[in-house]
Amino acid sequence: MTGTASRRLDELSGTAVTERLTEDSIIVLPTGAIEHHGPHLPLSTDALLAGALAGAAVDRAADAGLDIWILPTLTYTKSDEHHWAPGTVWLNWDTLMATLVDIGRSIAATPARTLVFMNGHGGNGALLQVANRELHRRFGLKTFTMPAGIQRAGAGGDAGADEAGLGIHAGHGETSLVLHVRPDLVDMARAERNVPEHIGAMEFIGFNNKPVSFGWLSNDFGASGVIGDPTAATAEAGAALFEESVARSVDALLEISRFTFEAPPSGPTP
């Protein structure tokens, strides 16, 4: 992170946690994955991006006045859609759920009352939504899940190769982000397009806000495991997407800091 004062919770002593955190403190937990990302991206892509994006957002949110702290990225998560690919390291849903509950229990032992999952792996999304309620019910925490970065399929032209609304894994956006953050880990000579065009033509079934979801494994769409088109990815596009993602995350964190279940009292404006 770039700020002058570290916001890493794990760098505090246990005594400092009790002295410096309050019920207004926000704790951010990035969630990533170790999983196959085609032949051109590293296994650590989701963990790498979740940590980088969340770290930048926390640093900037602290500069904006929030009492906000970040934990080390939760790296091993629910990646069974890539179970077929060597190198993927994944947890069963019940193992991950138990882990999230234990983490929530531990955070509830600090003065902080707010936990935010900043998620960099789509396969975690549904389970994190369940965890939000579970941790709120069990431990009284205010819990939130938000994406660590913006997921956007390439639309052709200046937006990169046309991904027919299906660029969700190792495609243009994700590859561009890694080119920005860690270009040494990307092998663009091995980048290849793999877009299931027939699904992109469907009205209801698909990804990226289509109303009907479906069960899938990444090799359902081809042996590469790619779902998208990384061939036109650039570090410049990644830098723009990184900045857009961080700015949106900071706005979301500021709103989280103001969130309350009870409406504020109404009255005449002074």
Side-chain angles (χ1 to χ4, degrees), residues 39-40 151-156 159-173 175 191-202 205-208 210 214 217-233:
H40 65 293
Q151 177 68 261
R152 181 182 296 126
D162 185 2
E163 297 179 306
L166 297 169
I168 65 163
H169 187 69
H172 180 265
T175 302
E192 55 188 67
R193 174 185 173 86
N194 186 55
V195 177
E197 306 279 359
H198 66 290
I199 295 176
M202 293 182 176
I205 302 171
F207 302 118
N208 295 326
K210 287 287 184 73
F214 59 100
L217 305 175
S218 57
N219 63 341
D220 287 336
F221 308 103
S224 72
V226 172
I227 309 171
D229 187 352
T231 58

Side-chain angles (χ1 to χ4, degrees), residues 32-106:
I34 299 296
E35 63 182 29
H36 182 66
H37 272 78
H40 65 293
L41 289 179
L43 296 168
S44 62
T45 291
D46 289 347
L48 170 69
L49 294 179
L53 288 158
V58 166
D59 192 51
R60 196 175 300 181
D63 288 343
L66 293 190
D67 180 25
I68 189 166
W69 301 88
I70 190 169
L71 283 167
T73 302
L74 184 61
T75 300
Y76 305 115
T77 58
K78 188 178 180 297
S79 295
D80 52 328
E81 65 269 43
H82 311 288
H83 77 281
W84 56 273
T88 298
V89 182
W90 60 281
L91 305 180
N92 281 314
W93 69 269
D94 50 348
T95 303
L96 180 55
M97 189 67 196
T99 300
L100 295 171
V101 169
D102 287 344
I103 290 171
R105 181 187 299 114
S106 300

